[in-house]
């Protein structure tokens, strides 16, 4: 002990206080811990939907849009996620199950999206507050030709917002 105390050498009060603090610390770590801390409890949050679920989303303005769940990934038990594709639907009534079979993917035409499909991974984080406006209309088969991945992650609260942005952009140019 004593290494690194050179900077306190000029002030004997500061040196004494530093030695006291160091001794207290060394005494604390010299004793073995009586019981190790328990591991944090694992909170399992599975993906809320299964592949093929047809979702109706109520927007703030009272209109409905649609989305199709393409995959459910529960490989990380704490953070399950769904791959969801938005459909080109914006009406005053919820979509019918037959509409989902048409697979009219929403193409993002606004901003710098370069006509990409609106497909994102949605994790379970903050799903509860968004779930109040999401309803399952039914379930259909996911086709092998359907998209199966995305480089984007979104929050459930934003599900359905891209359709209004696309429609506003289209209205500007019509």
């Amino acid at each position: 002990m004593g290494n690194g105390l050179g900077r306190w050498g000029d002030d004997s009060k500061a040196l004494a206080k530093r030695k006291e603090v160091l001794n207290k610390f060394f005494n604390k770590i010299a004793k073995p811990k009586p019981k190790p801390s328990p591991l944090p409890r694992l909170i399992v949050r599975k993906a809320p939907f299964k592949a093929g679920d047809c979702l109706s989303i109520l927007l703030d303005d009272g209109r409905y849009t649609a989305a199709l769940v393409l995959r459910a990934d529960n490989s990380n038990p704490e953070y399950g996620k769904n791959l969801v594709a938005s459909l080109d639907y914006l009406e005053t009534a919820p979509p019918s199950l037959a509409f989902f079979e048409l697979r009219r993917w929403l193409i993002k035409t606004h901003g710098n999206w370069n006509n990409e499909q609106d497909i994102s991974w949605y994790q379970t984080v903050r799903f509860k507050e968004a779930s109040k406006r999401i309803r399952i209309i039914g379930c259909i088969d996911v086709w092998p030709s359907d998209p199966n991945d995305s480089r984007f992650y979104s929050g459930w609260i934003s599900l359905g917002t891209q359709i209004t942005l696309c429609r506003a952009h289209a209205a500007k140019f019509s």
Side-chain angles (χ1 to χ4, degrees):
M1 190 161 131
N3 293 341
L5 292 176
R7 68 176 70 173
W8 284 276
D10 295 340
D11 185 353
S12 59
K13 263 184 157 178
L15 178 62
K17 185 171 180 162
R18 182 67 181 161
K19 283 183 177 180
E20 180 184 332
V21 168
L22 285 173
N23 283 330
K24 187 176 176 183
F25 173 71
F26 288 134
N27 289 335
K28 181 179 179 181
I29 64 172
K31 297 175 192 168
K33 202 169 182 181
K35 179 182 170 189
S37 299
L39 291 174
R41 194 178 73 149
L42 180 73
I43 299 172
V44 177
R45 296 178 189 98
K46 291 190 175 197
F49 302 107
K50 64 184 184 312
D53 280 349
C54 302
L55 308 179
S56 169
I57 301 102
L58 176 63
L59 301 177
D60 291 339
D61 65 4
R63 294 184 290 176
Y64 292 87
T65 188
L68 177 61
V69 178
L70 299 171
R71 283 181 57 197
D73 179 357
N74 291 305
S75 57
N76 180 341
E78 285 192 284
Y79 296 103
K81 59 186 178 180
N82 285 120
L83 181 65
V84 180
S86 295
L87 300 175
D88 195 354
Y89 184 89
L90 186 62
E91 299 294 334
T92 55
S96 67
L97 193 57
F99 177 80
F100 291 91
E101 290 287 357
L102 300 174
R103 307 279 204 286
R104 289 189 184 147
W105 309 118
L106 178 64
I107 305 298
K108 296 183 276 190
T109 55
H110 62 285
N112 294 325
W113 286 109
N114 298 323
N115 297 324
E116 292 184 51
Q117 291 177 340
D118 184 26
I119 301 173
S120 288
W121 286 103
Y122 290 83
Q123 290 186 319
T124 54
V125 177
R126 299 184 71 190
F127 171 73
K128 190 175 182 178
E129 71 185 84
S131 69
K132 295 174 184 97
R133 55 189 197 87
I134 301 171
R135 296 286 174 260
I136 299 175
I137 299 294
C139 191
I140 61 174
D141 290 332
V142 175
W143 300 339
S145 60
D146 288 340
N148 63 4
D149 203 359
S150 177
R151 60 190 168 117
F152 300 107
Y153 281 79
S154 299
W156 286 105
I157 204 74
S158 68
L159 181 63
T161 59
Q162 288 294 338
I163 186 77
T164 57
L165 297 171
C166 288
R167 295 289 170 93
H169 181 264
K172 223 188 315 184
F173 294 102
S174 58

